[in-house]
Amino acid sequence: MQNPQPHIDVYYIVESAVYELVKEQSKDLFATSDPDQTIADYARIVRNLTTDQHALLSFKHQITNSHNILANNWTTDYSSATGSASLALLSTVDELRQLSRLEHIDLNSNLIDGEIPLWFGRLDEVLDLILRSNNLTGLIPPSISNMSSLENLDLNHNLIHGNINCEISKLANLRIHRLAHNRLSGPIPKPIYGMSSLRMISQPLNNLSGSLPENICRHLPDLEAFFLEENEL
């Protein structure tokens, strides 16, 4: 079976970042009658846009663009970049940590090596963190539990090992929890069974062990799918 073609889905590119930020923040820009406040607000918006633009362009330079699928200048098109490209070590892409308003991260199937960066915990506006089908190793960092807005965590098909940290239960908005086809071991933390927001738990094809509680779904009213096959449970 052929390996999937690596690709980059960058939802928060310079153009959409500029458009969305201006649209959102300009709503109240001229609502005040105080000219000094208006000037201060405008300066803040420009400063935010400049920071985001520099961070995103620096991030672009980290991408191996073997098929030239990324435009030479991201400010010429409003579309997302999708095609064959790859990243080396996600932990070296420090530029992403500066994007405090980032909401979607989808870097699936990009042949990314190394460990999941600790600084993901700083991105508390992110709704979707999708890193599936890479070569990520190491542990799931507890700092991910600081991503308080996170709804979709997808780490399927990597080489992540160790236990599932009970800190993950702090994600009060988490709906999708995908950890399938890794090298995770140990028991499933009991606090996970109390995450009432969950709709899917997918942890098959690991080395998870231990027993499951009898009242497994008592506190999971919205759960629609629960996959645990091919473990040691």
Side-chain angles (χ1 to χ4, degrees):
M1 188 173 80
Q2 293 183 342
N3 292 327
Q5 285 293 320
H7 73 280
I8 289 287
D9 288 328
V10 183
Y11 294 143
Y12 198 85
I13 59 175
V14 172
E15 298 81 6
S16 59
V18 170
Y19 174 75
E20 293 296 335
L21 187 59
V22 170
K23 182 176 71 173
E24 180 65 26
Q25 299 197 17
S26 62
K27 291 178 181 177
D28 301 321
L29 183 58
F30 299 105
T32 176
S33 59
D34 185 351
D36 291 336
Q37 184 62 45
T38 299
I39 293 173
D41 289 342
Y42 178 77
R44 174 175 51 80
I45 291 174
V46 171
R47 185 169 59 252
N48 288 340
L49 293 177
T50 301
T51 299
D52 286 354
Q53 186 179 52
H54 288 167
L56 286 161
L57 289 173
S58 296
F59 171 60
K60 178 193 172 186
H61 294 322
Q62 299 282 343
I63 299 171
T64 302
N65 187 22
S66 59
H67 296 280
N68 198 32
I69 56 97
L70 296 179
N72 290 329
N73 187 338
W74 277 7
T75 61
T76 61
D77 190 348
Y78 282 88
S79 61
S80 297
T82 303
S84 297
S86 64
L87 290 165
L89 292 172
L90 189 58
S91 59
T92 66
V93 189
D94 290 339
E95 292 77 20
L96 286 179
R97 77 169 73 188
Q98 301 176 42
L99 302 173
S100 60
R101 291 170 301 282
L102 192 63
E103 293 185 353
H104 306 281
I105 301 176
D106 186 345
L107 297 173
N108 80 85
S109 305
N110 277 291
L111 307 177
I112 302 173
D113 296 320
E115 300 184 0
I116 300 172
L118 298 177
W119 48 258
F120 269 134
R122 301 183 183 183
L123 303 177
D124 58 4
E125 298 294 326
V126 169
L127 303 174
D128 302 290
L129 178 57
I130 303 173
L131 302 175
R132 68 173 180 269
S133 301
N134 283 291
N135 299 315
L136 294 171
T137 58
L139 308 176
I140 301 173
S143 59
I144 283 184
S145 65
N146 296 325
M147 301 177 73
S148 55
S149 300
L150 195 62
E151 296 181 358
N152 180 10
L153 175 62
D154 189 346
L155 304 178
N156 281 0
H157 293 271
N158 279 286
L159 304 172
I160 300 168
H161 66 268
N163 297 338
I164 301 174
N165 198 303
C166 64
E167 296 290 309
I168 204 78
S169 63
K170 294 180 180 179
L171 296 173
N173 297 306
L174 193 66
R175 299 182 178 212
I176 309 296
H177 188 212
R178 291 188 174 106
L179 301 176
H181 214 299
N182 278 283
R183 299 176 177 177
L184 296 167
S185 58
I188 300 173
K190 291 182 179 180
I192 286 181
Y193 302 126
M195 297 176 66
S196 59
S197 61
L198 282 173
R199 293 187 177 180
M200 172 185 285
I201 300 174
S202 179
Q203 301 168 347
L205 294 160
N206 281 287
N207 298 310
L208 298 173
S209 59
S211 58
L212 301 177
E214 295 181 1
N215 57 349
I216 194 169
C217 294
R218 176 178 296 178
H219 302 294
L220 299 170
D222 296 327
L223 191 66
E224 299 174 356
F226 196 176
F227 303 105
L228 289 174
E229 65 269 21
E230 297 196 43
N231 278 289
E232 299 176 9
L233 295 166

